[in-house]
Amino acid sequence: MIIDFDSFEEKIHTQFKGGNGDYRVRTFEDANNRIMRGLLHPGASLGMHRHEQNSEIYYILSGAATVLIDDGEEHLEAGEMHYCPMGHAHSLINSGNQDLVFLGIVAEHHD
């Protein structure tokens, strides 16, 4: 299956989950997964949030990011990936001087 993000409506979320600036996103979703191509301008962020019934992966397509995970911090560049397991919290910050473009993949966990 090909997912053409350009065919999906772009949504803009301001201060997403308590973050800074705008989060621009195009989303594919089915019963088990949500796959997003997101964009954060320099200084923008997704706020800290916990994954109670799912896990999330961020894959950096371009730009530089800082991820706050639980009590730690990770730095990512294009081609690198961050994984937030179920039960943990994280946020994503554009810590570079160009737009941060990334894939966010949320997998639901079923009992």
Side-chain angles (χ1 to χ4, degrees), residues 38-42 60 62-65 92-94 98-102:
L39 183 145
L40 294 170
H41 294 302
I60 307 304
S62 64
L92 180 68
I93 303 162
N94 181 342
Q98 66 180 27
D99 287 344
L100 173 65
V101 181
F102 63 97

Side-chain angles (χ1 to χ4, degrees), residues 29-49:
E29 192 166 5
D30 65 17
N32 298 305
N33 301 285
R34 190 176 30 204
I35 304 170
M36 301 151 288
R37 183 179 69 194
L39 183 145
L40 294 170
H41 294 302
S45 65
L46 307 180
M48 183 68 77
H49 58 283

Side-chain angles (χ1 to χ4, degrees), residues 5 9 13 25-26 30 47 67 70 106 108:
F5 287 107
E9 175 188 359
H13 302 280
V25 63
R26 295 175 189 258
D30 65 17
V67 175
D70 296 326
V106 176
E108 296 298 328

Side-chain angles (χ1 to χ4, degrees), residues 17-28:
K17 298 193 182 276
N20 294 317
D22 291 337
Y23 168 41
R24 304 175 78 90
V25 63
R26 295 175 189 258
T27 304
F28 166 83

